[in-house]
Amino acid sequence: MTSTADEGANLEVAEGLIRRAASRGARLVATPENTNFLGPQADKVRRAEPLEGSLIARFAALARELGIWLLLGSFNERGDEQRCRNTSVLFSPDGERAAVYRKIHLFDVDVSLEVRFQESATVASGEDIVVAATPLGAIGMTICYDLRFPELYRALVDRGAQLITVPSAFTLTTGRAHWHTLLRARAIECQCYVIAPAQIGHHDDDGIRHSFGHSLIIDPWGQEIAMAPDGPGLALAEIDLARVDEIRRKIPTAKHRRLEPPGTPRV
């Protein structure tokens, strides 16, 4: 998607793509980070909605109508007057909220004149590690900048994750350098499927944001098995949990992992 400050237009695009994916047989559909709004930071806080608001009700109704598992990649959840939350919500096919994840790692960076962000100025960090048990597999939930912190992904695997979602709005600069590499690394080291719906193109958040795109689905061997086109569209793939079991059996890294380096003195 290419979300902007026009929430109505963003939701129309999102709903159209969700319906298109469901019509092609998708049982799990995931949207990018900032699905409903990617505009000026101050407006993001002012327009924030609670979990009981109309946005969540709309996605719940859509999941129920289509009979799918639906991940709202993230939206601006109401917090206090200064900051909102960057929140991902998973809906079950009956429209119930199956899981809620609030982004833990916030994007405070100074990469270049074009890539300077302080997400923490308008967003409060989450604290909880979330894995949702579903008939499609155990789904570990993360958002965008979380991708750079492998310890979070190991914690998800320790809690049983077989699929991991990474809804994102990676910048063009960092995306070109790191997006594919980091996603493949997380898939390989976690031996999980990674589902990474992404924003693409220019947004109207004070003219500073240009997203890389490349929505990806990666298998637990690190192979990119689907990628969306350059522009609004879909990445569609089949998930086979037997593949997760097979790779974990062949390369049992969970059994081999040592929490302390060899030679560490024990007290």
Side-chain angles (χ1 to χ4, degrees):
M1 292 181 58
T2 307
S3 295
T4 67
D6 188 339
E7 186 163 359
N10 298 336
L11 295 179
E12 285 297 318
V13 171
E15 182 171 330
L17 289 169
I18 292 165
R19 290 184 180 279
R20 181 175 155 200
S23 73
R24 295 181 63 182
R27 296 173 61 198
L28 167 65
V29 181
T31 69
E33 182 183 26
N34 301 317
T35 290
N36 65 310
F37 181 84
L38 223 174
Q41 300 300 297
D43 288 349
K44 179 172 65 176
V45 178
R46 182 176 58 82
R47 298 189 188 186
E49 286 194 24
L51 279 174
E52 295 74 24
S54 60
L55 174 67
I56 297 304
R58 178 171 179 167
F59 273 77
L62 189 58
R64 184 167 52 249
E65 176 194 342
L66 298 175
I68 59 172
W69 289 88
L70 177 58
L71 181 79
L72 170 57
S74 85
F75 82 107
N76 44 328
E77 180 192 1
R78 184 174 296 166
D80 56 32
E81 293 183 358
Q82 285 75 42
R83 295 189 297 175
C84 59
R85 300 275 193 173
N86 192 341
T87 302
S88 186
V89 183
L90 178 67
F91 300 90
S92 67
D94 59 7
E96 296 298 319
R97 291 201 302 266
V100 176
Y101 169 72
R102 296 173 176 93
K103 187 177 182 182
I104 292 175
H105 301 98
L106 301 181
F107 191 51
D108 290 357
V109 303
D110 189 1
V111 177
S112 67
L113 290 175
E114 294 77 25
V115 185
R116 287 179 174 173
F117 294 95
Q118 189 177 10
E119 189 176 16
S120 64
T122 54
V123 176
S125 176
E127 298 178 352
D128 296 331
I129 296 170
V130 178
V131 176
T134 82
L136 306 181
I139 301 174
M141 298 170 67
T142 69
I143 298 174
C144 201
Y145 190 54
D146 284 332
L147 183 60
R148 295 184 181 273
F149 300 88
E151 62 273 18
L152 171 59
Y153 291 77
R154 172 51 58 188
L156 292 171
V157 173
D158 288 345
R159 288 162 174 77
Q162 298 163 294
L163 302 87
I164 296 175
T165 54
V166 196
S168 298
F170 245 64
T171 70
L172 183 64
T173 299
T174 58
R176 282 173 172 166
H178 302 148
W179 175 246
H180 289 256
T181 302
L182 286 171
L183 287 169
R184 292 188 65 203
R186 296 296 87 86
I188 293 166
E189 68 195 13
C190 294
Q191 299 173 317
C192 285
Y193 282 92
V194 171
I195 300 169
Q199 295 280 353
I200 187 170
H202 288 282
H203 314 284
D204 53 1
D205 54 344
D206 305 318
I208 60 173
R209 175 85 72 150
H210 186 183
S211 293
F212 179 61
H214 293 223
S215 293
L216 288 169
I217 302 173
I218 301 175
D219 77 4
W221 193 247
Q223 301 300 306
E224 297 177 2
I225 57 176
M227 185 170 74
D230 287 338
L234 303 176
L236 188 67
E238 292 186 0
I239 302 299
D240 180 6
L241 295 185
R243 179 75 168 147
V244 176
D245 295 337
E246 175 193 8
I247 290 171
R248 291 180 178 182
R249 184 177 64 254
K250 289 180 174 179
I251 307 179
T253 55
K255 293 180 181 179
H256 297 157
R257 183 162 53 117
R258 299 184 65 176
L259 299 181
E260 298 174 338
T264 299
R266 294 182 180 272
V267 178

